[in-house]
């Protein structure tokens, strides 16, 4: 069935949860323990969802939300359309999943920005991690960029609430660093805007960057240079010295 395995069909036929994700309700077979069976189901579901996510990122990035179809996404994922809809009820469910996945990854890269952290080390880590995601997940970044360029009609509420709260919490930490004299007086929110723009350009405008550098595509070395350059310039602007490497 268009690349679908018996294992995948077995999971799919048990329906979805309210958030569009497949239920972990496949009946256990064989003589393995229930815990082992659950582990196999979880790994299988994670693998299928990751496959669907990659296909969805490609299609949404190429065609936008309106132009994309679940039929094409299912074809790219090697699944029947019906199976895809067991995991994600609607195209919007899948679109929201793709957007939230990349944003959660972006936000998690800033975990080292804590009140008791060394500002230079924390910011350098954040920049490096964002550059790594620009290299590893460029297509997902382009899906997000396209959504924002169109006014974020399907993600506006998340940005006005969740993203805003996250930035305010991290900005308060940086303001604490300023008050302690650990970092030059800066506007923390605009610092985040600058970091986002600097790092995400290597995902959203890879073709432009590669063309200017005279290359067909960017290499790992190019991303390392980008991270080092961005770190040096941003930390200097904050009155910070680059952290020493161990």
């Amino acid at each position: 069935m268009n690349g679908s395995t018996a294992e995948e069909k077995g999971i799919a036929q048990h329906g979805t949860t309210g958030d569009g994700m497949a239920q972990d309700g496949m009946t256990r077979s064989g003589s393995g323990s229930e815990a082992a069976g659950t582990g196999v189901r979880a790994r299988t579901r994670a693998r299928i969802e990751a496959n669907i996510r990659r296909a969805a990122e490609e299609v949404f990035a190429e065609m936008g939300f309106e132009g994309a179809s679940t039929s094409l996404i299912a074809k790219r994922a090697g699944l029947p359309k019906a199976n895809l809809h067991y995991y994600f009820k609607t195209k919007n469910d899948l679109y929201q999943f793709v957007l939230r996945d990349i944003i959660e990854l972006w936000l998690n890269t800033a975990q080292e920005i804590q009140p008791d952290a060394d500002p230079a080390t924390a910011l350098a880590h954040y920049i490096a991690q964002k550059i790594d995601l620009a290299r590893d997940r460029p297509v997902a970044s382009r899906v997000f960029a396209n959504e924002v360029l169109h006014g974020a009609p399907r993600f506006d509420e998340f940005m006005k609430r969740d993203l805003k709260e996250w930035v305010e919490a991290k900005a308060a930490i940086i303001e604490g660093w300023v008050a302690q004299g650990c970092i030059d007086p800066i506007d923390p929110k605009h610092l985040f805007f600058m970091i986002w723009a600097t790092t995400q350009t290597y995902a959203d405008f890879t073709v432009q960057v590669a063309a200017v550098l005279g290359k067909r595509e960017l290499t790992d070395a190019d991303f390392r240079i980008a991270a080092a350059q961005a770190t040096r310039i941003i930390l200097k602007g904050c009155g910070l010295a680059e952290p020493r490497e161990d």
Side-chain angles (χ1 to χ4, degrees):
M1 289 181 62
N2 207 20
S4 176
T5 66
E7 184 180 49
E8 291 163 354
K9 288 180 284 184
I11 293 176
Q13 68 185 1
H14 289 275
T16 58
T17 61
D19 61 359
M21 306 300 288
Q23 291 177 351
D24 194 14
M26 186 173 67
T27 56
R28 178 167 54 90
S29 62
S31 59
S33 68
E34 183 175 350
T38 300
V40 171
R41 292 195 297 272
R43 289 193 298 273
T44 300
R45 188 175 77 180
R47 175 175 55 78
I48 296 171
E49 288 173 358
N51 191 32
I52 293 172
R53 189 210 73 220
R54 284 191 294 269
E57 287 175 358
E58 292 176 2
V59 175
F60 285 133
E62 293 169 10
M63 310 184 73
F65 179 82
E66 296 297 341
S69 70
T70 53
S71 296
L72 180 55
I73 293 170
K75 183 178 180 180
R76 291 274 183 99
L79 291 170
K81 181 179 176 181
N83 279 35
L84 183 146
H85 282 295
Y86 277 116
Y87 288 89
F88 302 94
K89 290 182 179 179
T90 67
K91 180 170 72 170
N92 187 62
D93 287 341
L94 181 50
Y95 188 67
Q96 294 288 332
F97 175 75
V98 167
L99 289 174
R100 288 182 180 275
D101 183 68
I102 187 60
I103 284 187
E104 286 177 8
L105 288 173
W106 282 339
L107 300 187
N108 285 337
T109 60
Q111 288 182 346
E112 291 198 13
I113 299 178
Q114 300 295 335
D116 58 350
D118 172 65
T121 300
L123 291 175
H125 178 270
Y126 180 47
I127 294 166
Q129 292 293 301
K130 288 285 274 90
I131 289 286
D132 284 348
L133 283 173
R135 178 195 62 208
D136 298 337
R137 296 289 298 280
V139 181
S141 180
R142 290 170 205 151
V143 175
F144 177 80
N146 286 335
E147 173 68 13
V148 173
L149 287 172
H150 286 85
R154 295 170 187 83
F155 219 54
D156 183 62
E157 195 60 36
F158 174 86
M159 292 195 293
K160 287 182 176 178
R161 184 186 64 249
D162 302 72
L163 183 59
K164 183 173 182 290
E165 290 175 0
W166 182 91
V167 171
E168 288 175 346
K170 292 299 182 182
I173 292 172
I174 296 174
E175 287 170 349
W177 292 345
V178 172
Q180 295 168 23
C182 300
I183 187 172
D184 284 355
I186 56 168
D187 185 315
K189 292 179 181 177
H190 284 279
L191 174 62
F192 279 113
F193 300 154
M194 291 176 184
I195 292 174
W196 296 347
T198 300
T199 57
Q200 286 162 228
T201 197
Y202 290 95
D204 303 338
F205 297 98
T206 302
V207 174
Q208 173 181 281
V209 175
V212 172
L213 293 177
K215 300 183 175 185
R216 291 179 59 86
E217 59 184 25
L218 299 181
T219 65
D220 286 347
D222 293 320
F223 284 101
R224 286 195 297 270
I225 292 169
Q229 183 91 343
T231 300
R232 186 176 304 117
I233 292 171
I234 291 171
L235 291 188
K236 274 195 172 184
C238 295
L240 297 169
E242 293 182 67
R244 294 181 180 179
E245 295 185 5
D246 295 332

